[in-house]
Amino acid sequence: MSNDEFIITPREDKTVTMSIRIEKVLQEQLDELARKSNRSRNEIINMALEYALKNVKFIDSTNG
């Protein structure tokens, strides 16, 4: 008899669901890029958001 154990641990939920509104043209561009890259629209959006957050330059206009 085997002593192999089937171990189940709680899943870490690292994602959230968000609902946003975007221009139809932008959605069409995302769909086309997803089709060309064989990735999901969700993957493309996540990649774009990560890139934007890593490369954003914030200018505080209140400190004139």
Side-chain angles (χ1 to χ4, degrees), residues 15-29:
T15 64
V16 296
T17 301
M18 295 178 60
S19 177
I20 63 168
R21 293 186 185 276
I22 62 172
E23 297 289 328
K24 183 156 183 62
V25 171
L26 182 56
Q27 182 238 325
E28 291 167 351
Q29 291 173 337

Side-chain angles (χ1 to χ4, degrees), residues 9-56:
T9 60
R11 180 176 67 161
E12 291 184 40
D13 194 4
K14 296 180 182 181
T15 64
V16 296
T17 301
M18 295 178 60
S19 177
I20 63 168
R21 293 186 185 276
I22 62 172
E23 297 289 328
K24 183 156 183 62
V25 171
L26 182 56
Q27 182 238 325
E28 291 167 351
Q29 291 173 337
L30 286 167
D31 287 346
E32 178 66 13
L33 186 55
R35 186 190 64 74
K36 285 181 179 178
S37 65
N38 197 32
R39 293 184 178 268
S40 70
R41 183 192 308 160
N42 187 67
E43 285 180 283
I44 300 296
I45 291 169
N46 273 285
M47 292 168 73
L49 288 172
E50 285 178 17
Y51 177 83
L53 289 172
K54 286 178 184 174
N55 295 284
V56 68

Side-chain angles (χ1 to χ4, degrees), residues 52-63:
L53 289 172
K54 286 178 184 174
N55 295 284
V56 68
K57 180 179 179 182
F58 179 74
I59 299 173
D60 187 355
S61 61
T62 61
N63 294 334

